[in-house]
Amino acid sequence: MQPDRSAPVAKPAANLIAEQGGDVLTYTVAEAARLARVSVWSYYRGLKEGRLPGRKVRGQWRVSRKQLHRFLDGEELAPGGGADVA
């Protein structure tokens, strides 16, 4: 019997970046958009305009869980998306 050489199923990136307790530290743009109840494209536009929390990490946008929840609770967004990544 030949070994299975198919590519492993990739888990969502946000699920790979987690605290010890299993809480997600960052969201993908799609996950953040769903939580903010806006379209993915609207979230990208908000990121580029600096109106929504997030930053690029190795060429991909990531959204800090803490920043997103603070923003959704009505707190002001720190300039540049903020330094609080975790």
Side-chain angles (χ1 to χ4, degrees):
M1 181 177 252
Q2 295 273 343
D4 182 16
R5 294 178 189 253
S6 62
V9 176
K11 294 182 181 179
N15 293 333
L16 298 176
I17 305 171
E19 293 176 342
Q20 190 172 11
D23 292 336
V24 173
L25 292 177
T26 63
Y27 295 119
T28 64
V29 172
E31 292 166 332
R34 184 173 31 108
L35 290 169
R37 296 183 176 169
V38 298
S39 72
V40 173
W41 297 117
S42 293
Y43 203 96
Y44 273 116
R45 187 172 43 249
L47 284 169
K48 291 176 183 178
E49 294 172 356
R51 294 182 296 111
L52 293 173
R55 63 175 34 189
K56 276 198 172 181
V57 177
R58 295 186 180 174
Q60 294 183 343
W61 285 100
R62 292 287 178 247
V63 182
S64 162
R65 176 183 57 85
K66 285 183 182 180
Q67 285 182 342
L68 179 61
H69 289 276
R70 285 179 188 157
F71 176 79
L72 293 175
D73 287 340
E75 292 185 27
E76 289 289 322
L77 182 62
D84 181 16
V85 179

